[in-house]
Amino acid sequence: MKSQLVNEVGGQRTFVMVLDPGEEAFAALTAFAADQKLDGASLTAIGAFERATVGWFDLNAKTYRRIPIDEQCEVLSAIGDIALGDDGQPSLHVHAVFGLSDGTTRGGHLLEGIVRPTLEVTLVEAPGRLRRSRRPELGIALIDLDA
């Protein structure tokens, strides 16, 4: 992955990242957030994956149902945020829509994506800290504005 700081004003940084073929996007973005000590940010991305896995959150089961996409797919839109998790590490929450070769789409919560040929990401740091706290009654961690 290559990255460049393209703007910095008033404690808010904007980065552009270009991921390389074969990189796993979720892990690469998490590592970048940890390296840059990001504790609040939003991101958008476009590109393509050789394969991906999205999730659909089953509220009754309190877990994500994994939906594999075992073919080349275009990342038509990916949008998400970064907050600090209960463990003090960056926690990503990214939703994505993928275009398939027949023109249909699939989407959901991004769990994994193997880049091919590229993923272009714009990440904008928030001027304040965001905290994501686990909600046992739901089975997921959500941004907690009171934390």
Side-chain angles (χ1 to χ4, degrees):
M1 171 178 54
K2 293 180 182 163
S3 66
Q4 183 173 336
L5 176 64
V6 295
N7 192 32
E8 185 171 11
V9 176
Q12 181 177 333
R13 299 177 292 173
T14 301
F15 296 93
V16 172
M17 293 159 282
V18 179
L19 280 69
D20 296 317
E23 283 190 274
E24 197 288 300
F26 199 87
L29 294 173
T30 300
F32 181 84
D35 183 58
Q36 294 298 319
K37 299 180 180 11
L38 295 172
D39 54 15
S42 62
L43 65 86
T44 58
I46 58 172
F49 293 142
E50 69 180 54
R51 67 180 184 281
T53 302
V54 294
W56 178 81
F57 191 73
D58 183 335
L59 192 55
N60 292 326
K62 297 181 181 177
T63 190
Y64 283 97
R65 184 181 64 169
R66 296 174 68 83
I67 303 167
I69 302 168
D70 292 321
E71 63 183 278
Q72 180 76 22
C73 54
E74 294 285 328
V75 179
L76 302 176
S77 176
I79 186 168
D81 59 46
I82 298 170
L84 286 182
D86 288 332
D87 61 0
Q89 297 299 311
S91 169
L92 269 68
H93 184 193
V94 180
H95 287 198
V97 178
F98 303 112
L100 306 181
S101 62
D102 64 359
T104 61
T105 58
R106 294 242 183 108
H109 181 93
L110 180 64
L111 300 175
E112 177 184 77
I114 306 301
V115 174
R116 183 171 176 210
T118 191
L119 187 69
E120 301 166 347
V121 181
T122 301
L123 189 147
V124 179
E125 183 177 31
R129 170 181 263 184
L130 294 176
R131 174 67 185 223
R132 194 177 320 279
S133 299
R134 182 152 177 76
R135 301 270 304 272
E137 73 278 12
L138 298 175
I140 55 176
L142 301 175
I143 288 180
D144 182 355
L145 295 177
D146 295 326

